[in-house]
Amino acid sequence: MKTAEENFAALGLTLPPAPKPLGVYKPCLVDGKYLYLSGHGTVKEDGSLIIGRIGVDMDMEAGKLAARQVGLAMLATIKANIGSLNKVKRVIKVLGMVNATADFERHPYVINGCSELFSAVWGEENGIGVRSAVGMGSLPDNIPVEIEAMFELE
């Protein structure tokens, strides 16, 4: 059975820099055997953000890719703070927020971009947790997706 680090390497994806807080909060917090990640945005490899609202500036496929990019930023935070993706036992909960027009209804599809990434890294059994995917009237800096999550540690 492959480790989370081996699974990630096999995807051929690159992590962006772990995002720094833009407010008064911690990007992650370990409490006993749980790891909590604050809301993460669409940080790209060069440190810039994917910007735009789904239904105006981008379609739902671009939104799904943006959600995957948020997942990559979350993985970067995990590695920067606890050292290895292998230290995560499983995904407990994901909350995905989608910056979309009022008539957009495919929020879960967009957040699948992150959930599919986590499933590929930790496997279907441990990489898929409970989840909410909701629409927002706006998000910070007009990013299309923000996601927070909770994980169980080994």
Side-chain angles (χ1 to χ4, degrees), residues 98-114:
V98 180
N99 179 8
T101 57
D103 62 341
F104 185 76
E105 298 177 345
R106 302 287 309 276
H107 309 94
Y109 180 84
V110 170
I111 301 304
N112 281 347
C114 179

Side-chain angles (χ1 to χ4, degrees), residues 67-87:
R68 182 180 76 175
Q69 195 62 39
V70 176
L72 290 170
M74 297 173 91
L75 297 181
T77 293
I78 292 170
K79 286 186 67 115
N81 286 274
I82 66 168
S84 172
L85 301 177
N86 294 339
K87 292 182 179 179

